[in-house]
Amino acid sequence: MSSIGIGQPPQNRRQKMVKAIWTGIWLVYLSAPVSDLVHGGHSTGVVVLGWFGLVAFVGWYGALVFRTGRGETTPFVFVSLVVLAAEAALLSFTLGREWLVLFVYVSIASGAVLPLRLARWAIPAVSAVLTGIALTVSGGKAYLAGLLIPAFLGGFAMTGVRELIRTTIALREARATVAQLAANEERLRLARDLHDLLGHSLSLITLKSELAGRMLPDHPEKAAQQVADIEQVSRQALVDVREAVTGYRRPRLSGELAGAQVALTAAGVTADLPAEPDLTDVAEESESALAWALREAVTNVVRHSGARRCTVELVRRQTLDGPVLELSVEDDGSGGSGHGPGNGLTGLTERLEKAGGALEAMGVPPVRADSRTWGRVRHGFRLVARVPAQAPFEAADHPVGSGA
């Protein structure tokens, strides 16, 4: 038999049947009115009208309860509750105390379809009407004790069920939203990775292709070496893209330093780089963020700056917020052609923020992770990326690697 998730409407005939059976189980308490119609000694006309009234009550009650969900207060809800209460009162007055049980269903329906702010008043009101009619109808006082508590507690129990349904629906929608956000975040991550990977690799391929073209007439051996380098870079770019797509790639700072040396040298830029750093006590996420920062900075130097010299420094600093690892990349070029951050720097800032770090430029005071600042130095451009380091360091600046 098909199951029905909480808060989900029936999707097919079988699920509708399951819900109808579950709702119909509680109609067993209408045995008292049914018994009164069969054995109560009423006239034929009264019995016919009684059956008509009972069927109408059950039908309206079922239509109301079947729409139970978030507890929207539509005119249909208010009208239905008023009709049910009026019919229960009329049948109780005309046919006797056995029909007082209908007020239990009115109370339960109030708890099922009204929001809590209204149900907390409607349920006591129905219980009060039940009490008043029970004291008026002959023999009703004896039935009062057995009906008042179920009406009161059953109504408030249904408010709990309704809140559970609302919460379940909200959680289901939240889960769908989280899944959508996760998919969007994954697309953004992939876009950043592909930009960083292909931007750097394609720039290097372009430079080496130009060099090979210039060397080809007079120095075919050197041109062949450049072509071999292009093949190597292309293969590595393909590997990087595949790893980025699968989500497993975390660039290492030592590898990016070696790649920066190759890219800057190929572009005719004198490179002043630190020695291979010891990062055993640095978080993997922090190292990865700095590696991306170095790649993006070197790519910008090669493609946009027109610089003749580029200096890369990697130092540890002790700040008020704790120890940080600082990477700076400075060139003596024109500072680029843009007036603000491009896609590369925007994506780089996002990476650093996720690692708890920050990105800034020369002449700009230190900023927190939620700030983004770019600028130009007097001669060239300087990019500074900071990430937190795990182990505490001395307060004085301590170079991680010496110039090479």
Side-chain angles (χ1 to χ4, degrees), residues 313-333:
E313 293 182 345
L314 187 65
V315 298
R316 301 181 192 269
R317 299 188 188 278
Q318 183 68 33
T319 67
L320 294 177
D321 294 329
V324 299
L325 192 60
E326 179 181 288
L327 172 75
S328 66
V329 181
E330 184 175 354
D331 65 73
D332 60 353

Side-chain angles (χ1 to χ4, degrees), residues 123-137:
I123 295 171
V126 173
S127 301
V129 173
L130 169 62
T131 302
I133 296 178
L135 295 176
T136 304
V137 174

Side-chain angles (χ1 to χ4, degrees), residues 239-265:
V239 173
D240 289 345
V241 169
R242 287 173 176 170
E243 291 179 347
V245 170
T246 56
Y248 295 126
R249 186 177 191 278
R250 281 189 178 271
R252 298 296 180 181
L253 198 54
S254 57
E256 293 303 323
L257 285 170
Q261 179 72 60
V262 174
L264 292 171
T265 301

Side-chain angles (χ1 to χ4, degrees), residues 60-362:
W60 209 307
Y61 171 81
L64 182 61
V65 172
F66 246 78
R67 65 165 310 283
T68 301
R70 296 178 179 270
E72 300 91 340
T73 54
T74 61
F76 173 77
V77 171
F78 292 117
V79 171
S80 297
L81 289 176
V82 171
V83 169
L84 291 177
E87 190 173 359
L90 178 62
L91 292 173
S92 298
F93 277 125
T94 57
L95 296 178
R97 61 186 183 179
E98 289 82 3
W99 296 79
L100 291 171
V101 70
L102 298 182
F103 282 101
V104 176
Y105 291 91
V106 177
S107 179
I108 290 175
S110 299
V113 300
L114 291 177
L116 183 59
R117 68 180 186 277
L118 297 178
R120 64 182 181 180
W121 298 107
I123 295 171
V126 173
S127 301
V129 173
L130 169 62
T131 302
I133 296 178
L135 295 176
T136 304
V137 174
S138 176
K141 188 175 181 180
Y143 276 47
L144 183 59
L147 297 177
L148 186 59
I149 294 178
F152 193 81
L153 296 183
F156 280 107
M158 286 306 300
T159 63
V161 174
R162 185 186 58 79
E163 290 299 319
L164 176 61
I165 293 174
R166 290 186 61 190
T167 301
T168 303
I169 294 174
L171 288 175
R172 187 178 292 112
E173 292 176 349
R175 184 170 59 184
T177 301
V178 169
Q180 181 64 34
L181 292 176
N184 292 339
E185 177 62 24
E186 182 64 14
R187 281 193 287 268
L188 290 175
R189 180 199 68 80
L190 184 58
R192 289 195 301 265
D193 285 358
L194 291 178
H195 173 274
D196 295 341
L197 290 169
L198 296 180
H200 175 82
S201 300
L202 293 178
S203 297
L204 187 56
I205 290 173
T206 301
L207 286 171
K208 286 187 171 291
S209 298
E210 294 174 351
L211 287 175
R214 290 196 297 265
M215 294 175 178
L216 188 58
D218 302 324
H219 305 282
E221 299 83 2
K222 294 183 178 180
Q225 181 60 46
Q226 295 297 328
V227 172
D229 291 344
I230 291 173
E231 179 184 2
Q232 182 180 0
V233 172
S234 300
R235 292 183 182 275
Q236 184 60 45
L238 181 59
V239 173
D240 289 345
V241 169
R242 287 173 176 170
E243 291 179 347
V245 170
T246 56
Y248 295 126
R249 186 177 191 278
R250 281 189 178 271
R252 298 296 180 181
L253 198 54
S254 57
E256 293 303 323
L257 285 170
Q261 179 72 60
V262 174
L264 292 171
T265 301
V269 179
T270 302
D272 184 6
L273 305 176
E276 183 173 344
D278 180 12
L279 303 174
T280 55
D281 54 352
V282 177
E284 188 179 58
E285 185 178 8
S286 296
E287 180 187 357
S288 177
L290 287 186
W292 284 118
L294 178 59
R295 171 172 286 218
E296 178 65 25
V298 171
T299 300
N300 288 339
V301 170
V302 170
R303 295 175 61 184
H304 305 303
S305 70
R308 288 179 290 182
R309 184 178 185 85
C310 178
T311 302
V312 178
E313 293 182 345
L314 187 65
V315 298
R316 301 181 192 269
R317 299 188 188 278
Q318 183 68 33
T319 67
L320 294 177
D321 294 329
V324 299
L325 192 60
E326 179 181 288
L327 172 75
S328 66
V329 181
E330 184 175 354
D331 65 73
D332 60 353
S334 62
S337 59
H339 299 285
N343 292 332
L345 289 179
T346 300
L348 179 57
T349 302
E350 293 174 355
R351 292 182 188 277
L352 290 168
E353 288 176 352
K354 287 186 176 181
L359 182 71
E360 67 177 58
M362 184 66 176

Side-chain angles (χ1 to χ4, degrees), residues 9-83:
Q11 301 296 325
N12 51 51
R13 181 177 300 178
R14 179 173 294 182
Q15 291 183 353
K16 291 180 180 179
M17 184 66 68
V18 170
K19 186 168 184 178
I21 293 174
W22 176 252
T23 304
I25 290 175
W26 306 103
L27 298 180
V28 68
Y29 294 102
L30 293 177
S31 58
V34 172
S35 177
D36 179 64
L37 290 174
V38 175
H39 305 292
H42 301 295
S43 63
T44 303
V46 172
V47 171
V48 171
L49 292 176
W51 279 111
F52 178 80
L54 182 61
V55 171
F57 182 91
V58 172
W60 209 307
Y61 171 81
L64 182 61
V65 172
F66 246 78
R67 65 165 310 283
T68 301
R70 296 178 179 270
E72 300 91 340
T73 54
T74 61
F76 173 77
V77 171
F78 292 117
V79 171
S80 297
L81 289 176
V82 171
V83 169

